């Protein structure tokens, strides 16, 4: 009997795999295309159907499918029986589906991949039926991985990304259970240690820990039955002393009910991406990460905050922090004049953010349609718009035009709204959308990430002492003294403006822009040579403006396209062309140009000019010669009563 038990696995391994489709195919809708890259490419089929000869399977087997650019749901059926769906992910990967015992039959079989109703250009194939069960398909060799901090030598929570030479994410298994979060080609590990099981072959292993850290690579060749030892050291590459890394838009499958990140896995992704302030924002639910962080052994890595994404038919708003036991806001309320005061009254709440304000949900766009004038910043619910911040970057819901939400934000600032710009991930997943990819840096003491001074954090949110990050970090200083959130006073006739751009070696910056009242006044190319840390430091000398203005710096660069930190395509694209970019921007430094000790927004200047001129357009035109276009836009808006 002992001899039989040893030989049975060997006998199953001798069974031959069956190729159902050998080529890589383009599936989509004939005559239509989702992205410019598919415009001139022939659609092989709208759905895949393959008939093939096989034998009935007495034991589980595995369907192996290579796929790329999958956004919608593509059901996979064998002989009319649903095996599952393709993985909704843009990155190239091999996905695996279990073929239950008896699903194959003697003779002809039919495999189909059904198309979704919407437009979704995908690539799929080869498609192979492996004669073994899924655990055997993902085994044969092992990699014993250790990732440590290059400074301290200690183990680090991190993200491991394993691909084939062509960048395809490789299916694998990982241990120890309870200390790893695993998806195709990706493992988050609690302490930098993991044992990976996968087929023999040649691979590339990447280890990283989010934006502030290096990404280290190792090319590995695995032989059957062997274990490869791989030790990698990560280096901190982005200086962030005095700034804490925050993601204020985080979901779990456990409490939001969609995505795939269970709350235990979420703790590992927060720690593995180097987030220090983690705000739980499950939909209409008050989630507390504290117990889960402790049980997963990562409580010392970040400070958890209870929050809530108040998800209504008229916009999504994050509210935090929230006291335990506080009442959940009525998400059926659609009137902002009632909704926002109720959110503000929730016990503990210090910050309210407007999420992904250009996205369409339930037929409503918070900064779209007839709600908002993007030129003047006038909002139909301006009186009710009691928010502290808005997302200008949401990495899981990117815009086709990365400047669109910045322009909206500038318009709101010019209209007199004091709203900070933030970035977040809105991640619901372990890997499809990377947690902390979009993140906000908050001015606060950061020596102990598990015990942040939250009063200081919330003051920084209120005062706009925040930096927006998606692969870059940008700072701003005026006259060597004033920075983001400051009122720069006592200005001479010439003003020194200094901007610095930081990032890891694996992200590049190639352009920097300086905006005054949302108007581009300086720009410059950057060549960073893949430097880690400080990539550029730019100094501009500006003449003192004729009136108060707010200064904002935005740096950009080529998007990261490698699977270890690939920036996703737009969630609701407005263009079929996608140019991936990394972004780092500041919040405003407010220039008190007239020396009265306060900041006067463009709309207030416009009201004053109208009053001083008595509404005389000739006098107004003369006065506007000394003003920027932001003030002129507000004057015209206020003079035209029928403005939409």
């Amino acid at each position: 009997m002992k001899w039989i038990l040893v030989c049975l696995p060997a006998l199953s391994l001798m069974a031959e795999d069956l190729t159902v489709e050998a080529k890589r195919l383009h599936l989509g809708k004939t005559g239509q295309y989702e992205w410019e890259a598919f415009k001139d490419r022939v659609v092989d089929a709208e759905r895949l159907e393959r008939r093939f000869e096989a034998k009935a399977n007495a034991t589980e087997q595995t369907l192996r499918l290579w796929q790329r650019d999958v956004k919608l749901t593509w059901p996979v059926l064998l002989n009319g029986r649903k095996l599952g769906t393709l993985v909704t992910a843009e990155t190239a990967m091999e996905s695996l589906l279990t073929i239950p015992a008896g699903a194959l039959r003697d003779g002809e079989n039919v495999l189909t991949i059904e198309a979704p109703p919407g437009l979704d250009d995908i690539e799929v194939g080869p498609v192979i039926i492996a004669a073994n069960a899924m655990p055997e398909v993902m085994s044969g060799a092992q990699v014993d991985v250790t990732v440590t901090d290059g400074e301290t030598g200690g183990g680090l929570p991190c993200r491991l990304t394993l691909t084939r030479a062509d960048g395809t994410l490789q299916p694998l298994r990982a241990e120890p259970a309870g200390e790893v979060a695993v998806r195709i080609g990706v493992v988050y590990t609690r302490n930098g240690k993991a044992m990976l099981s996968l087929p023999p072959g040649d691979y590339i292993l990447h280890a990283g820990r989010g934006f502030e850290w290096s990404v280290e690579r190792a090319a590995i060749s695995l032989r059957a039955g062997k274990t490869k030892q791989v030790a990698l050291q990560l280096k901190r590459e982005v200086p962030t002393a005095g700034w804490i890394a925050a993601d204020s838009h985080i979901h779990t499958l456990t409490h939001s009910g969609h995505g795939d990140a269970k709350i235990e896995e979420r703790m590992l992704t927060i720690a593995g991406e180097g987030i220090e302030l983690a705000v739980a924002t499950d939909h209409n639910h008050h989630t507390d990460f504290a117990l889960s962080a402790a049980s997963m052994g990562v409580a010392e890595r970040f400070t958890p905050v209870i929050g809530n994404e108040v998800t209504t038919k008229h916009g999504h708003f994050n509210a935090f922090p929230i006291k335990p036991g506080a009442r959940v806001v009525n998400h059926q309320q659609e009137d902002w004049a009632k909704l926002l005061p109720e959110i503000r009254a929730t016990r503990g709440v210090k910050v309210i953010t407007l999420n992904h304000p250009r996205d369409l949900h339930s037929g409503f766009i918070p900064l779209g349609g007839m709600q908002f004038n993007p030129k003047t910043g006038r909002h139909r619910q301006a009186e009710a718009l009691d928010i502290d911040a808005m997302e200008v970057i949401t990495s899981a819901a990117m815009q086709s035009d990365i400047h669109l939400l910045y322009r909206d934000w500038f318009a709101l600032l010019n209209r007199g709204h004091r709203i900070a710009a933030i970035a977040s991930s809105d991640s619901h997943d372990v890997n499809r959308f990377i947690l902390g990819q979009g993140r906000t840096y908050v001015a606060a003491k950061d020596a102990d990430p598990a015990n942040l001074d939250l009063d200081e954090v919330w003051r920084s949110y209120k005062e706009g002492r925040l930096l927006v990050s998606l692969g870059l970090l940008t700072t701003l200083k005026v006259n060597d003294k004033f920075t983001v959130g400051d009122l720069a006073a006592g200005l001479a006739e010439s003003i020194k403006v200094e901007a610095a751009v930081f990032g890891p070696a694996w992200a590049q910056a190639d352009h920097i822009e300086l905006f005054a009242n949302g108007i581009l006044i300086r720009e410059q190319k950057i060549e960073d040579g893949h430097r880690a840390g400080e990539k550029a430091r730019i100094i501009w000398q500006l003449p003192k403006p004729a009136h108060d203005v707010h200064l904002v710096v935005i740096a950009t660069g080529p998007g990261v396209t490698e699977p270890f930190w690939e920036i996703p395509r737009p969630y609701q694209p407005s263009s079929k062309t996608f140019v991936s970019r990394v972004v780092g921007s500041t919040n405003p430094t407010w220039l008190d140009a007239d020396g009265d000790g306060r900041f006067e927004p463009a709309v207030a200047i416009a009201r004053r000019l109208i009053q001083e001129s008595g509404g005389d357009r000739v006098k107004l035109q003369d006065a506007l010669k000394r003003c920027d276009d932001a003030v002129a836009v507000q004057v015209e808006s206020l003079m035209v009563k029928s403005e939409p």
Side-chain angles (χ1 to χ4, degrees):
M1 178 63 72
K2 202 176 256 188
W3 182 86
I4 295 174
L5 287 173
V6 170
C7 286
L8 276 175
L11 288 170
S12 66
L13 288 170
M14 293 173 61
E16 292 186 4
D17 292 348
L18 175 64
T19 299
V20 177
E21 174 54 62
K23 298 184 298 182
R24 186 167 301 171
L25 302 174
H26 170 201
L27 304 185
K29 296 187 183 298
T30 303
Q32 302 179 53
Y33 59 95
E34 183 186 11
W35 300 104
E36 192 73 25
F38 289 98
K39 181 178 180 180
D40 298 318
R41 293 181 57 181
V42 174
V43 174
D44 293 301
E46 295 197 5
R47 60 190 284 275
L48 181 71
E49 180 179 307
R50 289 294 180 268
R51 298 179 180 273
F52 60 95
E53 296 291 320
K55 293 183 178 179
N57 60 315
T59 59
E60 280 189 2
Q61 297 189 2
T62 306
L63 187 66
R64 300 170 48 194
L65 308 98
W66 188 95
Q67 63 165 77
R68 181 164 58 194
D69 288 325
V70 177
K71 181 178 181 179
L72 303 179
T73 301
W74 292 73
V76 180
L77 297 90
L78 177 62
N79 297 325
R81 178 178 183 176
K82 185 176 179 180
L83 301 181
T85 64
L86 298 182
V87 178
T88 49
E90 297 168 359
T91 309
M93 63 176 62
E94 181 176 87
S95 58
L96 305 179
L97 292 172
T98 295
I99 299 176
L104 287 167
R105 57 197 181 203
D106 290 331
E108 185 179 76
N109 292 262
V110 182
L111 178 75
T112 56
I113 301 178
E114 298 293 351
L119 181 61
D120 189 18
D121 283 297
I122 73 167
E123 293 178 284
V124 66
V127 180
I128 297 168
I129 294 177
N132 304 314
M134 198 179 296
E136 296 173 73
V137 171
M138 293 189 290
S139 62
Q142 290 188 312
V143 187
D144 188 358
V145 183
T146 302
V147 181
T148 55
D149 185 332
E151 266 189 37
T152 68
L156 276 176
C158 63
R159 170 190 168 101
L160 305 174
T161 307
L162 191 127
T163 71
R164 300 170 186 170
D166 65 357
T168 297
L169 291 173
Q170 171 63 42
L172 50 78
R173 294 186 293 142
E175 296 176 316
E179 296 189 13
V180 291
V182 187
R183 294 297 182 271
I184 296 173
V186 172
V187 178
Y188 281 95
T189 167
R190 180 182 70 82
N191 58 2
K193 294 183 179 294
M195 181 70 75
L196 312 182
S197 298
L198 61 160
D202 296 328
Y203 302 98
I204 300 173
L205 177 68
H206 305 78
R209 191 166 184 262
F211 166 71
E212 299 174 29
W213 294 78
S214 65
V215 169
E216 302 300 327
R217 300 168 175 81
I220 53 178
S221 294
L222 302 181
R223 296 171 57 193
K226 301 295 182 180
T227 298
K228 182 88 170 180
Q229 305 284 334
V230 177
L232 297 171
Q233 284 194 332
L234 300 182
K235 303 182 295 293
R236 182 179 288 278
E237 294 190 334
V238 184
T240 59
W243 297 93
I244 62 169
D247 191 341
S248 60
H249 199 164
I250 300 174
H251 293 275
T252 67
L253 169 64
T254 307
H255 297 295
S256 278
H258 60 120
D260 68 16
K262 297 176 183 177
I263 194 167
E264 296 81 10
E265 295 175 312
R266 178 55 77 213
M267 300 305 98
L268 299 178
T269 65
I270 293 168
E273 292 295 339
I275 289 297
E276 296 160 313
L277 180 74
V279 183
T281 55
D282 284 312
H283 298 285
N284 305 313
H285 187 278
H286 297 172
T287 299
D288 189 348
F289 288 159
L291 289 177
S292 295
S295 70
M296 295 302 291
V298 293
E300 77 282 3
R301 298 293 180 175
F302 61 89
T303 295
V305 173
I306 300 173
N308 177 7
E309 182 171 25
V310 183
T311 306
T312 79
K313 291 183 177 180
H314 279 185
H316 297 188
F317 299 90
N318 281 347
F320 55 91
I322 294 175
K323 296 285 188 183
R327 184 174 59 85
V328 176
V329 170
N330 174 20
H331 67 276
Q332 302 297 332
Q333 179 60 256
E334 298 175 7
D335 182 352
W336 287 9
K338 296 177 181 178
L339 173 68
L340 289 169
E342 185 180 350
I343 295 175
R344 185 70 70 185
T346 302
R347 285 197 301 122
V349 167
K350 304 288 186 182
V351 179
I352 300 175
T353 72
L354 174 59
N355 301 341
H356 37 67
R358 280 283 182 166
D359 286 359
L360 174 68
H361 291 286
S362 302
F364 182 85
I365 303 174
L367 296 185
M370 298 297 291
Q371 289 291 313
F372 176 67
N373 186 317
K375 183 178 180 181
T376 67
R378 181 181 177 185
H379 199 284
R380 286 194 177 276
Q381 301 193 59
E383 296 300 319
L385 193 58
D386 175 25
I387 61 172
D388 303 292
M390 64 173 265
E391 294 176 348
V392 295
I393 295 289
T394 313
S395 52
M398 293 292 289
Q399 298 294 315
S400 297
D401 176 0
I402 61 170
H403 283 91
L404 173 62
L405 285 166
Y406 281 102
R407 291 194 298 272
D408 290 343
W409 175 54
F410 289 147
L412 287 166
L413 295 180
N414 289 335
R415 197 69 181 186
H417 296 280
R418 203 66 175 256
I419 298 170
I422 60 171
S424 67
S425 71
D426 191 12
S427 175
H428 293 71
D429 308 273
V430 169
N431 181 54
R432 181 188 180 193
F433 296 112
I434 298 173
L435 185 134
Q437 195 169 42
R439 59 177 64 188
T440 302
Y441 280 89
V442 185
K445 294 182 289 294
D446 63 333
D448 184 359
N451 293 286
L452 299 175
D453 183 343
L454 292 179
D455 288 336
E456 183 184 21
V457 167
W458 310 138
R459 280 197 303 273
S460 287
Y461 269 92
K462 291 287 189 180
E463 296 170 2
R465 302 186 187 280
L466 311 170
L467 303 176
V468 174
S469 178
L470 177 73
L472 295 174
L473 190 68
T474 304
T475 62
L476 171 64
K477 190 168 282 189
V478 174
N479 288 347
D480 299 318
K481 179 181 180 182
F482 305 104
T483 185
V484 294
D486 287 344
L487 178 68
L491 303 176
E493 292 306 310
S494 180
I495 300 171
K496 178 184 177 183
V497 176
E498 182 177 13
V501 184
F502 303 87
W506 46 268
Q508 282 184 280
D510 64 14
H511 196 71
I512 189 167
E513 301 168 310
L514 174 64
F515 295 85
N517 277 0
I519 300 165
L520 180 62
I521 60 171
R522 297 287 190 277
E523 62 181 321
Q524 190 167 325
K525 290 183 178 179
I526 298 172
E527 294 183 6
D528 73 17
H530 283 285
R531 286 191 300 276
E534 185 176 304
K535 294 179 175 292
R537 187 170 292 271
I538 311 296
I539 295 176
W540 293 292
Q541 290 294 144
L542 305 180
K544 185 172 74 170
H547 52 74
D548 296 355
V549 299
H550 52 79
L551 296 182
V552 171
V553 176
I554 303 176
T556 58
V560 179
T561 57
E562 294 184 78
F564 65 79
W565 213 74
E566 184 176 13
I567 292 176
R569 287 174 172 160
Y571 172 64
Q572 293 179 353
S574 59
S575 169
K576 293 185 180 295
T577 301
F578 172 57
V579 180
S580 178
R581 301 287 285 174
V582 291
V583 185
S585 75
T586 69
N587 265 273
T589 299
W590 313 90
L591 300 191
D592 177 21
D594 60 12
D596 65 356
R598 62 188 181 88
F599 181 80
E600 192 176 28
V603 70
I605 297 170
R607 289 194 182 102
R608 176 168 51 80
L609 293 180
I610 292 171
Q611 185 178 17
E612 290 173 354
S613 69
D616 186 318
R617 284 193 173 270
V618 175
K619 289 181 180 179
L620 265 176
Q621 290 302 319
D622 186 57
L624 285 174
K625 291 177 182 177
R626 298 182 295 276
C627 301
D628 65 18
D629 287 347
V631 175
V633 165
Q634 296 302 322
V635 166
E636 190 61 30
S637 167
L638 295 170
M639 295 289 285
V640 179
K641 294 181 180 179
S642 61
E643 179 201 28

